[in-house]
Amino acid sequence: MLAGRLGTQRNWDEYLWDVIRRPVRFDELMASEFSTPDRHFFVDLSASGSFANFLKHGYAPALRGAPAINQFGNNSGTVRSLRDELLRLPGA
């Protein structure tokens, strides 16, 4: 979809290069878009759970999240843990 908006292969290549080489400003994103972290809980749907791990070790307890699947195959246990965490949220 983005390639269609950019129009040419050259623009697409430049865009991808910019995405790769520029810094990821995650702190700024979280501060601007999630300024009230107690109102948010992130569910990591990736196969590795790296986003949930990133939140846990870099932003806890302010930002909360949990993986939905487990790369080691214990998906039912991971889903149960996710459910339990969601049930502990205020208003659940």
Side-chain angles (χ1 to χ4, degrees):
M1 180 160 71
L2 189 51
R5 286 197 307 251
L6 291 172
T8 67
Q9 182 65 39
R10 179 173 164 76
N11 286 343
W12 180 247
D13 292 344
E14 289 173 12
Y15 170 76
L16 288 177
W17 180 246
D18 286 345
V19 167
I20 292 168
R21 72 181 174 151
R22 288 188 178 164
V24 175
R25 299 182 340 234
F26 189 77
D27 290 332
E28 291 176 34
L29 169 71
M30 298 312 274
S32 67
E33 298 302 317
F34 303 102
S35 59
T36 54
D38 55 316
R39 297 183 57 212
H40 302 282
F41 186 90
F42 298 91
V43 177
D44 185 346
L45 300 175
S46 71
S48 66
S50 56
F51 181 66
N53 196 36
F54 184 67
L55 288 177
K56 178 180 177 183
H57 294 287
Y59 294 91
L63 296 172
R64 300 163 298 156
I69 59 175
N70 184 315
Q71 65 182 338
F72 303 108
N74 186 17
N75 291 324
S76 60
T78 303
V79 169
R80 272 193 301 278
S81 294
L82 173 60
R83 180 200 62 204
D84 293 345
E85 287 195 50
L86 292 171
L87 288 173
R88 285 193 294 271
L89 293 175

